[in-house]
Amino acid sequence: MAKFELKLPKMGESVAEATITNWLKNVGDTIAMDEAVLEIATDKVDSEVPSEVSGVLVEQLFGKDDVVKVGQTIAIIETEGGSVEAPKTAEVAAPIVAEVAKTVEVAKENVAPADFSGSDKFFSPLVKNIAKEEGVSVAELESISGSGKDGRVTKEDILNFVKNRTSQPVVAQTVTPVAQPITQPVQSTTTSAVPVSVNGGDEIVEMDRMRKLISGYMVASVQTSAHVQSFIEVDVTNIVKWRDKVKGAFEKREGEKLTFTPIMMEAVAKALKDFPGMNISVDGDYIIKKKNINLGMAAALPNGNLIVPVIKNADQLNLVGMAKAVNDLGNRAKAGKLKPDDTQGGTYTVTNVGTFGSVFGTPIINQPQVGILALGAIRKVPAVIETPEGDFIGIRQKMFLSHSYDHRVVDGALGGSFVKRVAEYLEAFDVNREY
């Protein structure tokens, strides 16, 4: 018999850890090769971890909701036959791991987890995560003097606090955990209580994991960026006529449906090349100018949640390539088959609010980007048409482009010029072009 270490696989260059959301196999269960053992979740994508061998699950090293680093061993599978992968270092470290686990369990019993929702101060999700990992209590977090806007605690503030705290004498470190059990349980009992319906007819439902993440991101974005919007109406009559003319042949030749989205994405990618000041991100007091144009494509999921897969190097794709990328990411998003790396690295985001009949909207910026474009519904409207012979009224296909941008680093001239350039590309669409 041999023991195989099932490790958390690499899930993309920008993904360093994942949360275990569910164990599909219990200790003692038989596992086939490539059979899913557990479900994990990164910031935006849920996926499964399959087994690389056949055997019996003999040990789960982490529990549900535990955060695991890429490359860490998460389970032990016993296999038949020769040795598979059972490093001696793991056997030597086993007693140490067991001893550490006991220490952690004792700590969990003696120290109540901090519940930051009861604080009147605003703390970003990143600051809260660092506080939880470092065992910083609510009272300690509130005592930190923030250097951010309006006195908010930044990443550097809490890291400096942790550094200074750990450099203090051992006696000072041991005082805090003793005092926490006295105050924390009372506070957590109050804040974690399930809301009670006043009239008894209301249904109270807890947010799922993804909705909680989205909620945190949206609030953090509004708190971070100074949102400003610019709107422009676009005549897309030529695009509508061209698509109606070629969509049948396009699907027959390419095996892909031709929607309006890749046409819009193509125009946005061109405009970003013209205005690289929109293809940036913000990190504190620094501006990062992005080399690649990676377009995020907001997509609604069947369960009502939202996800933003990314089209990498969108400016290098022709219309056929763009259509294939849009359809592939959209289909995999709806089927729940996106990989963690599919949602990473976006430099600018486009959301199609017109899918639901909205004429325009005021979308929230996808941090740390500085702009997001909402595509409104295409409508037939009466419009003034200018000709050498004079003006007349005609029926045209029009839509609104709604551009939200971060006024910290993007002023009205840049934000307005960018969305105007997108409109110019769309209105100048060549009805005789080949796809």
Side-chain angles (χ1 to χ4, degrees), residues 5-6 20 23 59-63 66 72-76 97:
E5 294 185 353
L6 180 64
I20 296 176
W23 280 96
E59 189 175 359
Q60 296 175 347
L61 300 182
F62 292 92
D66 285 347
Q72 274 190 293
T73 302
I74 50 182
I76 303 296
V97 172

Side-chain angles (χ1 to χ4, degrees), residues 142-349:
E142 290 181 335
S143 69
I144 299 175
S145 178
S147 62
K149 182 180 178 182
D150 298 328
R152 291 179 191 142
V153 177
T154 65
K155 173 184 176 183
E156 289 72 23
D157 294 333
I158 189 169
L159 289 178
N160 288 333
F161 174 82
V162 172
K163 181 180 179 181
N164 293 332
R165 187 178 65 168
T166 53
S167 63
Q168 292 174 357
V170 177
V171 177
Q173 292 182 0
T174 57
V175 173
T176 303
V178 176
Q180 283 184 8
I182 301 173
T183 58
Q184 283 302 107
V186 177
Q187 184 180 22
S188 61
T189 302
T190 304
T191 56
S192 62
V194 178
V196 178
S197 172
V198 177
N199 57 23
D202 299 332
E203 183 183 4
I204 299 171
V205 181
E206 184 181 3
M207 296 182 191
D208 61 25
R209 185 194 62 83
M210 182 171 282
R211 176 48 55 185
K212 289 177 182 177
L213 287 171
I214 295 172
S215 175
Y217 291 146
M218 295 299 100
V219 172
S221 181
V222 173
Q223 295 282 357
T224 301
S225 296
H227 282 64
V228 178
Q229 283 81 30
S230 292
F231 307 92
I232 191 167
E233 192 174 28
V234 190
D235 189 332
V236 292
T237 305
N238 288 341
I239 293 176
V240 173
K241 289 181 177 178
W242 180 82
R243 175 180 172 272
D244 288 342
K245 181 178 68 174
V246 306
K247 63 181 181 181
F250 184 93
E251 184 174 4
K252 184 177 180 180
R253 192 185 84 174
E254 302 296 336
E256 300 280 349
K257 290 185 180 295
L258 179 62
T259 64
F260 289 109
T261 301
I263 301 174
M264 306 295 172
M265 290 291 204
E266 183 184 54
V268 172
K270 289 180 179 178
L272 285 172
K273 291 192 73 172
D274 296 340
F275 294 94
M278 287 305 310
N279 197 54
I280 64 174
S281 65
V282 179
D283 183 7
D285 295 330
Y286 296 91
I287 295 173
I288 302 173
K289 298 180 178 180
K290 298 294 185 177
K291 177 182 179 181
N292 299 326
I293 295 177
N294 300 331
L295 290 182
M297 180 185 73
L301 299 176
N303 62 3
N305 286 324
L306 180 72
I307 198 165
V308 186
V310 177
I311 302 173
K312 307 291 174 62
N313 298 310
D315 57 314
Q316 299 178 18
L317 299 176
N318 59 16
L319 188 57
V320 173
M322 189 73 79
K324 289 181 181 293
V326 167
N327 292 343
D328 172 57
L329 290 173
N331 292 335
R332 286 197 286 125
K334 292 176 182 177
K337 294 183 178 180
L338 287 175
K339 299 176 182 177
D341 204 41
D342 290 331
T343 61
Q344 305 294 327
T347 60
Y348 187 88
T349 299

Side-chain angles (χ1 to χ4, degrees), residues 19 21 45 54 60 81 87 116 152 207 240 277 325 340 359 361 380 419 426:
T19 301
T21 56
V45 177
S54 299
Q60 296 175 347
F116 302 109
R152 291 179 191 142
M207 296 182 191
V240 173
V359 178
K380 289 183 179 180
V419 71
L426 294 175

Side-chain angles (χ1 to χ4, degrees), residues 1-214:
M1 305 292 281
K3 290 185 177 180
F4 174 81
E5 294 185 353
L6 180 64
K7 300 179 183 294
L8 184 66
K10 184 176 175 63
M11 298 170 289
E13 294 181 1
S14 54
V15 181
E17 62 184 23
T19 301
I20 296 176
T21 56
N22 186 35
W23 280 96
L24 302 176
K25 295 292 183 179
N26 298 316
V27 174
D29 289 351
T30 301
I31 302 171
M33 183 180 292
D34 294 328
E35 186 177 7
V37 179
L38 68 157
E39 294 176 340
I40 60 171
T42 62
D43 282 353
K44 294 183 179 179
V45 177
D46 296 346
S47 57
E48 298 176 339
V49 177
S51 173
E52 300 173 43
V53 297
S54 299
V56 177
L57 180 63
V58 295
E59 189 175 359
Q60 296 175 347
L61 300 182
F62 292 92
K64 183 179 178 181
D65 296 328
D66 285 347
V67 177
V68 186
K69 302 290 184 182
V70 170
Q72 274 190 293
T73 302
I74 50 182
I76 303 296
I77 300 174
E78 194 172 73
T79 64
E80 295 182 359
S83 59
V84 180
E85 181 184 341
K88 292 182 179 179
T89 53
E91 297 176 4
V92 174
I96 300 174
V97 172
E99 195 64 33
V100 172
K102 289 181 181 178
T103 306
V104 172
E105 288 303 317
V106 172
K108 286 182 178 179
E109 293 176 4
N110 294 329
V111 182
D115 185 358
F116 302 109
S117 61
S119 175
D120 294 330
K121 288 188 176 182
F122 170 81
F123 300 108
S124 70
L126 176 60
V127 170
K128 290 180 182 178
N129 287 336
I130 295 174
K132 289 178 181 177
E133 291 176 0
E134 299 294 340
V136 178
S137 68
V138 177
E140 288 177 312
L141 190 57
E142 290 181 335
S143 69
I144 299 175
S145 178
S147 62
K149 182 180 178 182
D150 298 328
R152 291 179 191 142
V153 177
T154 65
K155 173 184 176 183
E156 289 72 23
D157 294 333
I158 189 169
L159 289 178
N160 288 333
F161 174 82
V162 172
K163 181 180 179 181
N164 293 332
R165 187 178 65 168
T166 53
S167 63
Q168 292 174 357
V170 177
V171 177
Q173 292 182 0
T174 57
V175 173
T176 303
V178 176
Q180 283 184 8
I182 301 173
T183 58
Q184 283 302 107
V186 177
Q187 184 180 22
S188 61
T189 302
T190 304
T191 56
S192 62
V194 178
V196 178
S197 172
V198 177
N199 57 23
D202 299 332
E203 183 183 4
I204 299 171
V205 181
E206 184 181 3
M207 296 182 191
D208 61 25
R209 185 194 62 83
M210 182 171 282
R211 176 48 55 185
K212 289 177 182 177
L213 287 171
I214 295 172

